[in-house]
Amino acid sequence: MNDPTRTLMYAEASQSSEVAALQYASNAVLIADLVHRLRALDPQIIFTCARGSSDHAATYAKYLIETRLRIPVVSQAPSISSIYGAPLLHMKDQPFILISQSGKSPDLLLSADAARKAGALVIAFVNDTSSPLADLAEIVVPLHAGPEKSVAATKSYINTLCAFAHLVSHWSGDNEVQEAVERLPETLRTAWAKDWSAGADLLDDAQSMFVLGRGLTLGVAQEAALKFKETSGIHAEAFSMAEVVHGPMALVKSGFPLLIFPPLDKAAVGLDAIVHQFLGRNAKIAVAGQQFDGAVMLGLPERLNSVTAPIAMVQSSYAMVNAISVKRGYDPDHPPMLQKVTETT
């Protein structure tokens, strides 16, 4: 295969804007009811549980909920239930949000069952609403992504972020964020049309690289790093821009590649200093949406809100990752040693 537009990964990622529009129209009443339920519950803490790309969506949800609603969010390790069999008594009367494309992973099912027995409000963000996870959950938030045959998840990940943005924008009552969320289908269409080929040219020979984000963009940095690993065999590691200076930056020498997803809120503090420090080491740097002398700027749509910007960034990144994978001779739809449903216990 030498045409990147002929992969399933490319085709499915291109559907994200239509899926977002369908999701928002289909879930409007459900989200309103869920917001009412959560406000009445008045949770003191929220738990998430997921693996892989879905766990990266949970990272986005954590920062979104903590910055907009000021409710602590904790990632619950699936193994606490599936391996150690510990009761989840600390979850009583608190929301437990599980995120899954397939809704079939055994460890998530065991976690959902344990949380229900502990008295948690079990909520599933899931693409397959006929799945065992949907049956276990008290509330199901469908992603409406439709069939996703490429092993490399794209539209289901994007539309998990869309669903969290939908929920939190209404829960918080922030009109500006609500308007940005309503524009997301068009924002995603515009993001998909952006040309990130300069980033592909910069990164296509990478063996190792860093992907940086912070706050709301950390989850999409994690997701992009995973996609580089699984589709192109690149040893890509995601770091917070605040954490990379605590040791990992010692690896950055001349020619070392970095991809940066800058946040559009207060978390951007220190970005300029970090970029210039890496440029001083002659690193190869691509930055989404911001121009620095000596770095490649990757275009983004205009009028981005800090909540929706990460979703636009990851949408554009999928086309770039897909192109790099094909150029390196990989099949992004069938990464080696991977399958669609991960049978982790």
Side-chain angles (χ1 to χ4, degrees), residues 194-269:
K194 292 296 181 181
D195 181 5
W196 279 29
S197 59
D201 292 341
L202 184 78
L203 302 171
D204 68 0
D205 63 349
Q207 298 304 311
S208 296
M209 63 179 291
F210 288 166
V211 187
L212 306 183
R214 191 177 186 185
L216 288 169
T217 66
L218 179 58
V220 300
Q222 293 171 335
E223 171 64 7
L226 173 63
K227 288 297 183 285
F228 281 121
K229 289 187 184 83
E230 68 182 0
T231 69
S232 300
I234 300 173
H235 182 203
E237 295 297 332
F239 291 100
S240 164
M241 294 187 305
E243 291 292 338
V244 73
V245 297
H246 292 273
M249 69 183 307
L251 297 174
V252 180
K253 298 178 172 63
S254 180
F256 190 90
L258 299 100
L259 173 60
I260 302 177
F261 295 111
L264 270 61
D265 58 13
K266 294 178 181 178
V269 63

